[in-house]
Amino acid sequence: MKHALQIFAFTILVSAFYWYVSLWVPQKRTEPPEDIIIAADLSVEQMVVIGEEIVAGKGTCLTCHTMGESGTALRFPDLGSIGALAGMRVEGMSDVDYLAESLYDPNAYIVEGFVAGMPPAAKPPVALADDEILTVIAYLQSLGGTPSVTMDTEFEWQGAEPAVAATPSAELAAAAAGSNRDAETVFMTYLCNTCHTLDGTPGVGPSLQGVGSRLDRGELYESLMDPDATIADGFTPGVMTAMLTATAFHEQVSSAELKTLVDYLASL
């Protein structure tokens, strides 16, 4: 009985000790992102403020674009003065229409020196609603120009395919676990080409040219399942994790596809 009481007392002391230590450990609380309320009667100034918030958050624009001196991810054109440049990019196209097309159908016109690959903003994984896109356009116009878009502005692309927020695309859902696609299809489906190149040129993420000689298969698996475990020099933590989350990679990819992708990367 005495021995049992000693064990009990020891357990209480240990628990109390760890409780005390926990009080001195900084606590981090993560809150879910707040929903952005977009009213139909927003002023242009209010649209610009909300658009800036979407660009930096839900739109994930800063993953691939710089904003003047802000950011280092120059996968796609710098947007620091896009409000002044948009009206001069395509002959006969206004700045508003150019910005709208760039968001709804970004690969219709590719700026010289860059490559296609930006996903349409109205479709998953970004999945912005039409009213959200209007505020983004207002913000982009304000970067070196004067916003002229309003909440009543209409475009031919609006309503064509309703956005579905926070859900994988129909193509991804149809290719759920158990399917066996070739490596190139998997690579493109999950937008790997948006951040990584295969020819050695710089991107948002490291070039995958020669990656098979730099990483063994275990490291390749880890880079896909826990991309922040090891960050290549000169690159930003969290970007790949955000992209894999946005494309529902870990929920959708099958074990066979994952092996195919790792085999493909190992062969480079």
Side-chain angles (χ1 to χ4, degrees):
M1 180 66 177
K2 181 179 179 180
H3 183 64
L5 288 175
Q6 289 176 332
I7 294 175
F8 177 75
F10 178 75
T11 302
I12 295 297
L13 287 173
V14 170
S15 299
F17 172 75
Y18 281 108
W19 171 79
Y20 176 76
V21 170
S22 71
L23 297 178
W24 295 92
V25 177
Q27 302 296 310
K28 180 178 180 180
R29 181 177 179 179
T30 302
E31 300 286 353
E34 295 184 2
D35 291 333
I36 299 176
I37 305 300
I38 300 181
D41 60 349
L42 289 179
S43 67
V44 174
E45 292 75 17
Q46 291 171 321
M47 290 174 67
V48 170
V49 172
I50 292 176
E52 182 177 11
E53 184 176 349
I54 292 174
V55 163
K58 180 180 178 181
T60 65
C61 306
L62 302 185
T63 300
C64 297
H65 293 279
T66 52
M67 293 282 186
E69 297 181 357
S70 176
T72 58
L74 193 55
R75 165 66 167 157
F76 296 129
D78 176 73
L79 300 178
S81 301
I82 190 61
L85 299 174
M88 300 183 288
R89 283 274 169 80
V90 179
E91 186 176 355
M93 182 176 282
S94 69
D95 60 336
V96 175
D97 287 336
Y98 173 80
L99 291 172
E101 183 181 68
S102 297
L103 290 165
Y104 283 101
D105 188 12
N107 297 312
Y109 172 79
I110 307 298
V111 176
E112 185 176 355
F114 294 88
V115 298
M118 174 178 163
K123 298 179 181 180
V126 182
L128 297 184
D130 289 334
D131 55 359
E132 292 174 318
I133 289 178
L134 285 173
T135 65
V136 170
I137 292 174
Y139 171 62
L140 294 178
Q141 280 190 294
S142 75
L143 300 177
T146 302
S148 60
V149 69
T150 71
M151 293 303 296
D152 295 323
T153 302
E154 296 183 354
F155 303 110
E156 61 180 284
W157 304 276
Q158 289 175 333
E161 292 195 27
V164 182
T167 57
S169 68
E171 290 83 358
L172 294 182
S179 60
N180 294 299
R181 293 172 289 176
D182 62 84
E184 184 177 353
T185 301
V186 176
F187 192 83
M188 299 293 288
T189 297
Y190 294 105
L191 306 180
C192 305
N193 61 308
T194 298
C195 297
H196 298 281
T197 66
L198 300 174
D199 60 1
T201 56
V204 175
S207 171
L208 298 180
Q209 184 182 54
V211 68
S213 64
R214 300 193 300 272
L215 303 178
D216 60 32
R217 291 177 183 274
E219 292 169 325
L220 289 171
Y221 271 108
E222 182 182 62
S223 68
L224 291 167
M225 303 309 293
D226 187 13
D228 286 330
T230 303
I231 305 298
D233 291 342
F235 292 92
T236 305
V239 174
M240 183 169 172
T241 296
M243 290 299 289
L244 292 180
T245 299
T247 59
F249 176 81
H250 294 124
E251 290 77 17
Q252 296 294 333
V253 70
S254 69
S255 58
E257 289 175 336
L258 188 59
K259 181 180 184 302
T260 297
L261 188 55
V262 168
D263 288 344
Y264 170 64
L265 295 174
S267 73
L268 298 177

